[in-house]
Every structure is written in C-alpha cells, then in structure tokens.
Amino acid sequence: MSKKPEPDSFVTEITPRSQDFSKWYLDVVRRAELADYSPVKGCMVIRPYGYAMWELIQQAFDAEFKRTGHVNAYFPLFIPESLLNKETEHVEGFAPQVAYVTHGGGEKLEERLVVRPTSEAIIGYMYANWIQSWRDLPILINQWVNIVRWEKVTRPFLRTTEFLWQEGHTAHETHDEAQAETLMILDLYASTTERVLAMPVIKGQKSDSEKFAGALRTYSIEALMGDGRALQAGTSHNLGQNFAKAFDITFQARDKSVQHVWGTSWGVSTRLIGGVIMTHGDDSGLVLPPNVAPYQVVIVPIGRHNWRETVLPRAQEIRAELAAAGIRVTLDERDERPGWKFAEWELRGVPLRLELGPKDIEKSAVLIARRDTREKLGVPMDGLAVRVRALLDEVQNNLFARAVKFRDEHTQRVATYEEFKQILEGRPGFVIAPWCGSSDCEARIKTDTQATIRNMPMGATGAAPSGGCVRCDNPAIAEAWFAKAY
Ligand SMILES: [Zn+2]
C-alpha cells in the first residue's frame, strides 16, 4: 500500500536559524518552494522558483565563459567502464560513487556503462581524435549537464546523488598555458560569485589529499556559511598531462616533436544555491541578492474590499513600467490578506516589496520595504523605475558587505595547537594556521578537530607562513585556512 506524504500545510513556521541551522535550511528550501524530495532516494526536484535562480546563475557564468573564449558542447551521459578505468587515480577517486548501467533493451550489456560522475574520460577520448597539431590548440569547451555521484547522506542543493553543474575541459600546448587557464577560471569563479551571488570567497590551492582525483593541482573558492561552516563553492584543476597520457591525446608541436597536451577542468554546480540560502538567509526565510532573485520586486495592492477596482489598475501600470525598465517584477493579485502576502514574499526572499493603497495613489507615491534591512521608504511614483534600480543595487551591495563583515569577524589566526583545538570545539568559521605540508599531520588535525584545510590562499590574502606547523612545529609551507565544512 502506498503512503501519500502528508501535505505540509502544518509547516507554518520556520525553525529559527539560531535554534537549529540545519532544520532551518531544510524548512527554507521547502517552504520557499526551491526544491522538494523525490521518490528517488537522494535525488531532489528543483521547483520553478529554485530553477529560476539556477537559470540566473547559469546566465551569469555562461556569459563570463563566452567572454573568455569558451564554447558550449554536449557529451554523452554514459561512459564505457573501460574508458573511466584508463586513468588510475581518477577511477580510484570516483569508484565508490559511481552508478553503472548493466542492462539495456532487455539485455545484459557486454560492457557496463558508467553514468557520468564527471566527464574527463569521455571528453579525453574525443579530444584524442580531434587534436593532431598545435594549430588545433587550445580547445576551450564547456558543458552544462547533470551529474550522478552515489551519496549516502544527502541534503538539497548541497549534496545530492544527481545534481546540475557546468564542467569546462580545456587542452593546451604547454604547462604554463594550462596553469594560466586554471587560475583565470578561479578568478572568474570568485568575481562572478561575489558580484552575482554577493557571496565572498577565498581563492586558494587545495592540499594534495583534497585535490581532484587525477589532477596535478586543484584550486577552490571557499565561502563561509551563516553557521560558521565553510562551503566549497567551485573548483578549478590543472590536470597536467595525466589524462592526455591515459587517453593518448597527442599533438605535433611547433618544433615537429610529438607531445601530450596539457589539460584543465573546472566546475560550479547547483550547490551555489545552497550557498546563497546559507549566506544571506534569516529567521524569516530567504534573503535573495537582487542579481539572483527570480523576482526583484513584488507589488502588493492594499485596500478595502474594492481594491480590484480602486488599486489594481494602477498596480498593473506600475508593474508594466518596472518590467519595461528590465526589472523582474511580479504583482500579487491573490485574494489573501496583505499581511499574509508580506510574510510569504519575505519567506521567499524578494529584495523589494512595493505596497500600493488608495492613499498612496492619492499622494502619487508608493511604500517600498527592503528585505535586507526591513527599512520602509516612501517613494514618489515619478521616476519610480530609476529609484527601484538604485535600491536594488544598494541591497546587492549591502548583502555583500554584510557577508564580508561576517566572514571577517569569523576568521582568526592561531599560534598554538591547544588554542587551535579549543577554538574548533565550537563552530568558529575560518581558522588560519601555518601547516607543514604533511598529509599525516592534516589527517591528525581532522581527527582531533573535524576541521579540514579548505585551501591555501595565494596573492594578497595568502601570507607567507610564520613559524612552524601548528600541530607538529616542523617548518611550515603555507598559511592554511581550516574550517569545518559542508
Ligand atoms: Zn605538521
């Protein structure tokens, strides 16, 4: 007998963030209608509101990829098992999470097919056919696809068995070109995440134990969530010649010698939506940066029983005016109390709420409520679109500044291992400490504190190590940023 899930109308409140962050997150995901559980274990349904956010994220990143010379393509979902097995480290890294297709068309397959956990293998195979000469290089291809990695513990957007992402795969003549591409993408990821999602990130290199299976070097962007845990928000890998050697991707170089290409791969996923929720949300629900808000403005008509006659026509005109100015706007015409509508749109994180009643129309003004500060402002209807656009920019900038402040307030540097362990008993955010480079040391730190090295920043953020490793006191190779992570 099948049991139908209870309608979740009983979920009238959201668990306060401070009380139970994890439950708060799940409440927000479901009540804001971003995603829902599905009958397939570990797989979520992305609902239209959540998918609209994904489309905005996609558009922003896709424009950046194209601006930097990349093109989109599509490779198959299925990968012959023998292909995945060609790069040893790669297959060892992914084997525990791989799903196989064993039957098709009512028959057992001669060779099992892997459902892509990532596409280096199938793309490497194709590149071997496509690349002959240095004139064919570089190849700069991206694809927007779904991925399957069998997960034991799942959480919507953060870790699901199937998820959506983009994966870029490039091939170059030299190591230095591949390295430049890897770091260019890391910069692109960081700036786009900060500009569009208002989510500040730390750019840096991963330790060997955290690098991508089969890569020479992995770099990541790491963000800090509202509960003090870090989120890896994107990765960029210099693959060296590992995949080129496994898949025999060679080219005739300018000096006529035959060489293996140098590769990179890089990805961001629907995980970014989880990052937005946990960076900006509050006890009332989602708080969306205008650049990823499906609706940047909601218009709520206020009035007595006859509001449809008195207020609605003017509200429709305002909607049209804002839409014509390129603002994503919706008009809530439902027969519900305004107070109920306010709570609903707050929960769904709409940056600006525009209230319009008979008195406002008389005064030729509207009332605008900001979701981020809850400030209310009277704004004249004359020049409304310009004012709304400016307010949206203010909200976007304020959310970013607020997140930077939170991140900085939750980042500290420690000197001794005692202090390190003590601080990590809570959920302090980032802890910066010198590290010796030994994976044994790193593993011991994880056992003692549950914290992992998120990355080792480069450039201005990455200070030269001072003193010895925080745990073993051997000479340090880097200042590492540690945190408990999603
Ligand atoms: Zn050490």
Side-chain angles (χ1 to χ4, degrees):
M1 210 168 75
S2 75
K3 212 174 93 185
K4 247 192 128 185
E6 292 282 318
D8 65 354
S9 54
F10 61 87
V11 189
T12 51
E13 299 284 334
I14 298 172
T15 309
R17 231 170 70 119
S18 54
Q19 189 183 310
D20 185 341
F21 193 88
S22 168
K23 185 142 193 320
W24 167 83
Y25 176 80
L26 295 174
D27 285 351
V28 170
V29 166
R30 296 196 72 194
R31 291 276 287 114
E33 297 182 1
L34 296 174
D36 206 349
Y37 299 109
S38 80
V40 188
K41 191 174 175 292
C43 294
M44 65 175 168
V45 174
I46 304 176
R47 299 186 68 176
Y49 198 59
Y51 201 81
M53 281 179 71
W54 179 236
E55 286 178 319
L56 291 165
I57 293 170
Q58 269 189 313
Q59 284 161 19
F61 280 90
D62 202 62
E64 288 298 297
F65 299 151
K66 287 177 177 150
R67 185 182 63 76
T68 48
H70 303 84
V71 288
N72 287 334
Y74 185 82
F75 293 83
L77 169 67
F78 303 120
I79 302 170
E81 186 177 11
S82 57
L83 267 191
L84 190 75
N85 290 349
K86 280 194 170 187
E87 215 290 335
T88 326
E89 272 186 47
H90 186 59
V91 69
E92 279 171 10
F94 280 101
Q97 290 181 301
V98 163
Y100 294 96
V101 178
T102 57
H103 290 74
E107 282 174 32
K108 189 164 187 281
L109 303 180
E110 269 178 44
E111 181 183 3
R112 295 197 295 180
L113 296 172
V114 167
V115 183
R116 68 177 155 230
T118 179
S119 301
E120 278 74 9
I122 187 83
I123 292 178
Y125 177 88
M126 298 310 299
Y127 281 7
N129 292 327
W130 294 348
I131 298 168
Q132 270 94 44
S133 143
W134 62 269
R135 290 183 186 85
D136 300 324
L137 298 172
I139 290 193
L140 307 171
I141 287 181
N142 173 66
Q143 65 169 353
W144 290 96
V145 295
N146 60 339
I147 283 292
V148 169
R149 294 179 187 172
W150 221 254
E151 297 283 359
K152 292 199 176 70
V153 182
T154 59
R155 198 192 292 254
F157 295 116
L158 299 176
R159 198 172 291 279
T160 46
T161 293
E162 182 191 15
F163 60 88
L164 305 183
W165 81 348
Q166 60 71 215
E167 47 180 325
H169 296 267
T170 68
H172 307 264
E173 284 183 73
T174 66
H175 166 274
D176 290 357
E177 280 178 37
Q179 180 67 9
E181 166 82 6
T182 309
L183 294 180
M184 187 273 286
I185 291 293
L186 186 73
D187 284 340
L188 180 160
Y189 278 172
S191 60
T192 309
T193 302
E194 296 192 339
R195 176 172 54 81
V196 179
L197 284 67
M199 195 164 93
V201 295
I202 296 294
K203 293 180 287 185
Q205 189 177 347
K206 286 287 197 187
S207 66
D208 276 354
S209 69
E210 298 265 340
K211 79 177 183 194
F212 179 73
L216 202 58
R217 286 185 286 277
T218 287
Y219 300 85
S220 71
I221 51 169
E222 304 278 338
L224 192 64
M225 303 295 99
D227 63 345
R229 283 166 84 175
L231 183 80
Q232 178 178 293
T235 49
S236 183
H237 318 290
N238 183 339
L239 301 175
Q241 291 176 306
N242 294 343
F243 286 87
K245 285 178 179 160
F247 292 94
D248 205 23
I249 315 172
T250 57
F251 69 102
Q252 190 175 52
R254 290 166 201 259
D255 66 2
K256 305 272 190 271
S257 66
V258 174
Q259 297 182 12
H260 287 101
V261 301
W262 296 81
T264 81
S265 68
W266 27 274
V268 294
S269 72
T270 34
R271 192 165 227 230
L272 288 173
I273 296 175
V276 170
I277 301 169
M278 294 194 293
T279 300
H280 304 297
D282 63 19
D283 279 353
S284 304
L286 273 181
V287 179
L288 293 180
N291 290 347
V292 284
Y295 302 124
Q296 296 169 313
V297 177
V298 57
I299 302 171
V300 179
I302 316 282
R304 300 188 188 282
H305 56 279
N306 64 345
W307 64 273
R308 284 194 182 272
E309 289 77 48
T310 54
V311 179
L312 191 58
R314 191 71 187 100
Q316 285 165 337
E317 283 170 23
I318 292 174
R319 175 181 59 187
E321 185 192 333
L322 295 182
I327 293 162
R328 293 188 290 277
V329 55
T330 186
L331 169 58
D332 191 344
E333 295 185 34
R334 291 174 296 176
D335 281 313
E336 300 282 355
R337 285 178 299 104
W340 185 89
K341 292 180 181 178
F342 292 176
E344 168 88 0
W345 293 110
E346 276 181 14
L347 167 70
R348 303 187 84 184
V350 176
L352 298 179
R353 179 179 74 232
L354 200 149
E355 300 169 21
L356 184 71
K359 288 216 176 89
D360 301 305
I361 294 176
E362 255 169 50
K363 287 187 293 183
S364 197
V366 297
L367 200 63
I368 294 182
R370 279 174 66 155
R371 178 64 180 88
D372 60 336
T373 57
R374 295 180 180 273
E375 216 177 329
K376 282 197 172 192
L377 311 131
V379 175
M381 282 187 199
D382 195 29
L384 185 63
V386 174
R387 186 75 184 100
V388 165
R389 173 60 62 202
L391 272 171
L392 289 171
D393 288 345
E394 268 182 52
V395 173
Q396 181 80 25
N397 294 337
N398 177 50
L399 287 177
F400 181 67
R402 207 158 86 173
V404 169
K405 184 166 178 282
F406 177 85
R407 197 261 319 271
D408 291 350
E409 283 169 0
H410 292 82
T411 299
Q412 50 196 315
R413 210 171 278 274
V414 302
T416 71
Y417 198 47
E418 280 316 306
E419 194 189 348
F420 184 88
K421 282 193 291 191
Q422 198 187 349
I423 288 170
L424 277 161
E425 274 168 24
R427 204 168 278 159
F430 288 117
V431 178
I432 308 170
W435 173 60
C436 62
S438 135
S439 48
D440 282 350
C441 218
E442 188 184 6
R444 280 287 299 275
I445 291 172
K446 189 178 177 182
T447 310
D448 289 349
T449 65
Q450 295 173 359
T452 48
I453 294 176
R454 300 321 306 155
N455 65 28
M456 293 166 282
M458 304 101 62
T461 324
S466 58
C469 171
V470 70
R471 199 196 71 87
C472 69
D473 209 33
N474 284 334
I477 59 154
E479 291 273 284
W481 286 51
F482 293 85
K484 292 177 185 171
Y486 277 96

mmCIF file of all heavy atoms in Angstrom, residues 14-24 27 283:
data_model
loop_
_atom_site.group_PDB
_atom_site.id
_atom_site.type_symbol
_atom_site.label_atom_id
_atom_site.label_comp_id
_atom_site.label_asym_id
_atom_site.label_seq_id
_atom_site.Cartn_x
_atom_site.Cartn_y
_atom_site.Cartn_z
ATOM 1 N N ILE A 14 9.003 28.622 10.324
ATOM 2 C CA ILE A 14 10.348 28.153 10.006
ATOM 3 C C ILE A 14 11.109 28.033 11.321
ATOM 4 O O ILE A 14 11.043 28.922 12.155
ATOM 5 C CB ILE A 14 11.064 29.163 9.093
ATOM 6 C CG1 ILE A 14 10.305 29.288 7.779
ATOM 7 C CG2 ILE A 14 12.490 28.760 8.835
ATOM 8 C CD1 ILE A 14 10.844 30.390 6.908
ATOM 9 N N THR A 15 11.806 26.948 11.499
ATOM 10 C CA THR A 15 12.649 26.791 12.683
ATOM 11 C C THR A 15 13.647 27.950 12.731
ATOM 12 O O THR A 15 14.282 28.245 11.725
ATOM 13 C CB THR A 15 13.446 25.472 12.586
ATOM 14 O OG1 THR A 15 12.521 24.417 12.299
ATOM 15 C CG2 THR A 15 14.215 25.174 13.851
ATOM 16 N N PRO A 16 13.790 28.626 13.869
ATOM 17 C CA PRO A 16 14.768 29.739 13.918
ATOM 18 C C PRO A 16 16.184 29.246 13.591
ATOM 19 O O PRO A 16 16.574 28.153 13.990
ATOM 20 C CB PRO A 16 14.691 30.217 15.366
ATOM 21 C CG PRO A 16 13.373 29.759 15.857
ATOM 22 C CD PRO A 16 13.060 28.477 15.125
ATOM 23 N N ARG A 17 16.907 30.077 12.864
ATOM 24 C CA ARG A 17 18.256 29.759 12.437
ATOM 25 C C ARG A 17 19.176 29.446 13.620
ATOM 26 O O ARG A 17 19.987 28.536 13.577
ATOM 27 C CB ARG A 17 18.820 30.977 11.697
ATOM 28 C CG ARG A 17 19.418 30.717 10.356
ATOM 29 C CD ARG A 17 19.698 32.043 9.688
ATOM 30 N NE ARG A 17 20.803 32.711 10.362
ATOM 31 C CZ ARG A 17 21.947 33.035 9.755
ATOM 32 N NH1 ARG A 17 22.127 32.778 8.483
ATOM 33 N NH2 ARG A 17 22.902 33.631 10.418
ATOM 34 N N SER A 18 19.016 30.254 14.681
ATOM 35 C CA SER A 18 19.907 30.091 15.837
ATOM 36 C C SER A 18 19.593 28.803 16.599
ATOM 37 O O SER A 18 20.459 28.248 17.264
ATOM 38 C CB SER A 18 19.747 31.284 16.766
ATOM 39 O OG SER A 18 18.379 31.444 17.087
ATOM 40 N N GLN A 19 18.378 28.327 16.486
ATOM 41 C CA GLN A 19 17.973 27.141 17.237
ATOM 42 C C GLN A 19 18.488 25.862 16.588
ATOM 43 O O GLN A 19 19.023 24.980 17.257
ATOM 44 C CB GLN A 19 16.448 27.119 17.310
ATOM 45 C CG GLN A 19 15.873 26.070 18.247
ATOM 46 C CD GLN A 19 14.348 26.095 18.166
ATOM 47 O OE1 GLN A 19 13.727 27.163 18.275
ATOM 48 N NE2 GLN A 19 13.746 24.936 17.970
ATOM 49 N N ASP A 20 18.326 25.749 15.285
ATOM 50 C CA ASP A 20 18.753 24.549 14.573
ATOM 51 C C ASP A 20 18.987 24.929 13.111
ATOM 52 O O ASP A 20 18.056 24.923 12.300
ATOM 53 C CB ASP A 20 17.675 23.465 14.699
ATOM 54 C CG ASP A 20 18.116 22.145 14.075
ATOM 55 O OD1 ASP A 20 19.060 22.154 13.260
ATOM 56 O OD2 ASP A 20 17.510 21.113 14.395
ATOM 57 N N PHE A 21 20.229 25.256 12.794
ATOM 58 C CA PHE A 21 20.553 25.784 11.466
ATOM 59 C C PHE A 21 20.177 24.797 10.358
ATOM 60 O O PHE A 21 19.640 25.174 9.310
ATOM 61 C CB PHE A 21 22.050 26.108 11.392
ATOM 62 C CG PHE A 21 22.444 26.929 10.199
ATOM 63 C CD1 PHE A 21 22.398 28.316 10.249
ATOM 64 C CD2 PHE A 21 22.861 26.318 9.014
ATOM 65 C CE1 PHE A 21 22.759 29.089 9.140
ATOM 66 C CE2 PHE A 21 23.219 27.079 7.903
ATOM 67 C CZ PHE A 21 23.168 28.464 7.975
ATOM 68 N N SER A 22 20.436 23.533 10.629
ATOM 69 C CA SER A 22 20.223 22.513 9.620
ATOM 70 C C SER A 22 18.726 22.350 9.311
ATOM 71 O O SER A 22 18.317 22.205 8.157
ATOM 72 C CB SER A 22 20.845 21.228 10.149
ATOM 73 O OG SER A 22 20.460 20.166 9.391
ATOM 74 N N LYS A 23 17.920 22.406 10.361
ATOM 75 C CA LYS A 23 16.470 22.289 10.176
ATOM 76 C C LYS A 23 15.938 23.568 9.514
ATOM 77 O O LYS A 23 15.064 23.507 8.645
ATOM 78 C CB LYS A 23 15.802 22.054 11.538
ATOM 79 C CG LYS A 23 14.334 21.808 11.466
ATOM 80 C CD LYS A 23 13.881 20.750 12.469
ATOM 81 C CE LYS A 23 12.470 20.261 12.185
ATOM 82 N NZ LYS A 23 11.529 21.313 11.781
ATOM 83 N N TRP A 24 16.482 24.713 9.938
ATOM 84 C CA TRP A 24 16.117 25.985 9.313
ATOM 85 C C TRP A 24 16.336 25.911 7.799
ATOM 86 O O TRP A 24 15.485 26.289 7.008
ATOM 87 C CB TRP A 24 16.954 27.117 9.924
ATOM 88 C CG TRP A 24 16.900 28.407 9.156
ATOM 89 C CD1 TRP A 24 15.932 29.361 9.245
ATOM 90 C CD2 TRP A 24 17.822 28.859 8.151
ATOM 91 N NE1 TRP A 24 16.200 30.386 8.365
ATOM 92 C CE2 TRP A 24 17.353 30.104 7.682
ATOM 93 C CE3 TRP A 24 19.002 28.323 7.622
ATOM 94 C CZ2 TRP A 24 18.024 30.825 6.697
ATOM 95 C CZ3 TRP A 24 19.670 29.043 6.641
ATOM 96 C CH2 TRP A 24 19.177 30.287 6.188
ATOM 97 N N ASP A 27 13.744 23.729 6.137
ATOM 98 C CA ASP A 27 12.452 24.437 6.144
ATOM 99 C C ASP A 27 12.405 25.484 5.038
ATOM 100 O O ASP A 27 11.407 25.608 4.327
ATOM 101 C CB ASP A 27 12.237 25.150 7.495
ATOM 102 C CG ASP A 27 11.876 24.180 8.625
ATOM 103 O OD1 ASP A 27 11.623 22.997 8.333
ATOM 104 O OD2 ASP A 27 11.860 24.616 9.796
ATOM 105 N N ASP A 283 15.847 34.438 10.046
ATOM 106 C CA ASP A 283 14.767 33.690 10.683
ATOM 107 C C ASP A 283 13.447 33.747 9.911
ATOM 108 O O ASP A 283 12.591 32.882 10.081
ATOM 109 C CB ASP A 283 14.535 34.198 12.114
ATOM 110 C CG ASP A 283 15.552 33.607 13.084
ATOM 111 O OD1 ASP A 283 16.331 32.721 12.661
ATOM 112 O OD2 ASP A 283 15.567 34.030 14.259
#
